[in-house]
Amino acid sequence: MPVHKRRSRAPRLVAAALALTALPLLAAHPAGATDAAAPARGTAHMGMGVLAHDGRGGTPAPTAATQTEGVDVSGHQGSVSWSTLWNSGVRWAYTKATEGTYYTNPSFAQQYNGSYDVGMIRGAYHFATPDTTSGAAQADYFVDHGGGWSRDGKTLPGTLDIEWNPYGDACYGKSADGMVSWIRDFLNRYTARTGRDAVLYTATSWWTQCTGDYGGFGATNPLWIARYASSVGTLPAGWSFQTMWQYTSSGPTVGDHDKFNGALDRVRALANG
C-alpha cells in the first residue's frame, strides 16, 4: 500500500497569521491623513459638496421678481469664454482667487479681468479651510492675492466660501462655537483691510450642522445661498432673504450659475457699497 505523506499545515498557518497581523495595519488610518479618494488641495470650488449632501431638486420656478444672471468660476474651468456668457445674458461673475494660505488660481487673471473687460460686474472669492490656518491669516492671503475691493462700480466685495470640507471632516474638525469664531475672525480682518463686509456663501444644511445655525452675521454680511432646487428653501438663521443664489452646477458655458436677487442696478449698488 502506498504511503501518503501528510503535508505540513505550517505554510498555511504562517500565511493566515501574517494576514491577521496585517489587518490592524490596514485598518489604522493616521489622524488627519487624506483619503486616497479626496481631491488634491487647491481644487475645491463653490458648491463642490452641494450635490453630494443636498442633491438636486429641479430648477428655479418662474417668478415675477427681477433677478440678474451670474456665474462663478474657478481654476478647473480654465480660460472662460466671457463674450459667450455676456451674450447669453450673464451680467456678473465671481472668480475663485485663493484657498487656505497655500493656493492661488492660475486662471485668475483671465477670469477676473476677462469678465470685467466684457462689461460684467465682478468679484473674487476665497475657499475657506478652517483646519489649516486662522481666519485672519486667510483673509490677509485673500486680499493680497486678488480679493481686494475698489469703488469703481464694477467690483463686488469679496466672498467667503464656507461649506463642506472636500478633504476630510465636513466641519473641519471644529465645534460650532469654534467655526463661528473662525468665520468672525476672517470677516473682521477682511473688513479692516478693505472697508467692506464680505459676502458669505454657504448652504443651509452645512450652516446648521457646522455653526449650530448661528444667526449673528445676517445684519452685516450679504448671503449667497447654494441650493440646486426650484426655490432657495429655508435660509440660515439671521437672514430673511438671500442676495445671491447658486441654483445649478450644470448651466450653459460654465456649470455654476447664479441669480442676484434684484435688477442690475442692485448689483451695481452692492459693488459701490
Side-chain angles (χ1 to χ4, degrees):
M1 178 181 290
V3 177
H4 296 281
K5 292 185 180 179
R6 186 176 181 179
R7 289 184 295 179
S8 172
R9 296 173 59 196
R12 281 181 290 173
L13 290 173
V14 169
L18 288 172
L20 288 171
T21 303
L23 285 175
L25 296 175
L26 293 171
H29 192 61
T34 302
D35 189 275
R41 283 274 177 181
T43 59
H45 55 86
M46 273 188 173
M48 194 166 186
V50 173
L51 282 175
H53 293 88
D54 283 353
R56 179 183 285 122
T59 56
T63 176
T66 302
Q67 298 180 321
T68 307
E69 191 75 6
V71 295
D72 57 272
V73 298
S74 64
H76 80 279
Q77 270 117 359
S79 184
V80 174
S81 177
W82 291 109
S83 60
T84 300
L85 286 164
W86 175 267
N87 291 335
S88 73
V90 173
R91 291 297 179 263
W92 60 276
Y94 266 89
T95 295
K96 179 182 177 181
T98 51
E99 177 179 318
T101 52
Y102 52 79
Y103 172 87
T104 58
N105 175 7
S107 298
F108 181 76
Q110 191 277 339
Q111 295 174 348
Y112 189 71
N113 296 329
S115 55
Y116 181 96
D117 290 343
V118 298
M120 292 184 192
I121 301 171
R122 51 80 156 109
Y125 79 84
H126 173 80
F127 192 95
T129 57
D131 56 340
T132 59
T133 46
S134 71
Q138 293 194 29
D140 281 334
Y141 189 78
F142 178 44
V143 173
D144 292 342
H145 295 87
W149 173 79
S150 59
R151 188 177 277 108
D152 58 4
K154 293 184 69 175
T155 302
L156 293 159
T159 291
L160 174 64
D161 176 0
I162 184 81
E163 57 176 290
W164 296 277
N165 178 8
Y167 311 117
D169 174 71
C171 300
Y172 301 85
K174 291 191 175 295
S175 66
D177 287 345
M179 182 62 74
V180 169
S181 294
W182 191 96
I183 295 169
R184 184 182 296 112
D185 193 37
F186 181 101
L187 297 177
N188 287 346
R189 181 62 65 88
Y190 186 81
T191 301
R193 289 287 306 273
T194 67
R196 290 301 307 272
D197 292 311
V199 176
L200 265 173
Y201 167 98
T202 195
T204 299
S205 60
W206 182 90
W207 191 262
T208 301
Q209 176 187 355
C210 297
T211 75
D213 204 19
Y214 177 75
F217 299 124
T220 53
N221 301 95
L223 173 66
W224 188 349
I225 195 69
R227 188 168 189 256
Y228 305 157
S230 59
S231 71
V232 296
T234 301
L235 299 178
W239 288 279
S240 58
F241 63 91
Q242 82 285 355
T243 298
M244 291 170 277
W245 170 24
Q246 186 190 58
Y247 67 89
T248 187
S249 61
S250 55
T253 307
V254 299
D256 295 352
H257 275 245
D258 311 87
K259 293 188 180 296
F260 191 96
N261 192 10
L264 184 59
D265 66 317
R266 302 315 304 157
V267 184
R268 192 170 292 111
L270 179 62
N272 284 323

